[in-house]
Amino acid sequence: MIRTETVTDVTEETFDAEVLGAALPVLVKFTADWCGPCRQLTPILWEIAEEEAGRLRVVQVDVDRQSPISVRYGVLATPTLMVFRAGEPVASIVGARPKRKLLQELADVLDRT
C-alpha cells in the first residue's frame, strides 16, 4: 500500500481506537496492493485528508493483511470506502471516483461535523 502522513494505516489491533473511538468522522479505505482502482483513489484521498483535516479523518485498511476487519464489515470489493461516525458505519461507497464526485457523496457526512 502507498503510505502517507495524512492517511494512516490501521490494523486489527488499532481499528477500535483509531476508527470506532475517534471524535471526528473517519473515512476508511479498504484497499489492497494489487488493486488498480485503489491506487487511482490514493492521491484523491490524500487531498481530501489534508483539505478536510478538521472535519474528517482518513485511514486505510489492507484487506489482505487485516481480513477480519473486512469480514466484520462485509467488504467484498476494493476499493470500498466506509464512513464511521460515533463508532458506527454511516455510509459506504464501492469503487473509485473522481474527487468532485466523491466529495458530493461525502457532503452529508461533512456537513454534519
Side-chain angles (χ1 to χ4, degrees), residues 78-98:
T78 57
T80 291
L81 305 175
M82 284 188 146
V83 180
F84 288 78
R85 180 190 295 280
E88 296 295 324
V90 295
S92 181
I93 301 166
V94 179
R97 286 150 172 68

Side-chain angles (χ1 to χ4, degrees), residues 25 52 55 85 103-104 106-113:
E52 302 295 340
R55 301 190 311 159
R85 180 190 295 280
L103 285 172
Q104 287 172 346
L106 294 173
D108 185 47
V109 172
L110 295 173
D111 290 342
R112 290 195 279 160
T113 55

Side-chain angles (χ1 to χ4, degrees), residues 5-7 9 12 17 28 31 34 41 58 61 72 77 89 94 98 108:
E5 291 178 20
T6 57
V7 178
D9 291 338
E12 196 172 353
V28 179
T31 188
W34 46 262
L41 196 55
V58 181
V61 172
R72 182 181 347 167
V94 179
D108 185 47

Side-chain angles (χ1 to χ4, degrees), residues 37-83:
C38 297
R39 288 191 299 273
Q40 289 176 319
L41 196 55
T42 297
I44 294 167
L45 291 180
W46 288 351
E47 290 177 20
I48 291 172
E50 289 177 8
E51 293 167 7
E52 302 295 340
R55 301 190 311 159
L56 180 73
R57 183 149 186 262
V58 181
V59 301
Q60 60 186 4
V61 172
D62 185 310
V63 297
D64 292 326
R65 294 183 182 96
Q66 306 301 325
S67 60
I69 300 170
S70 304
V71 170
R72 182 181 347 167
Y73 292 103
V75 174
L76 301 175
T78 57
T80 291
L81 305 175
M82 284 188 146
V83 180

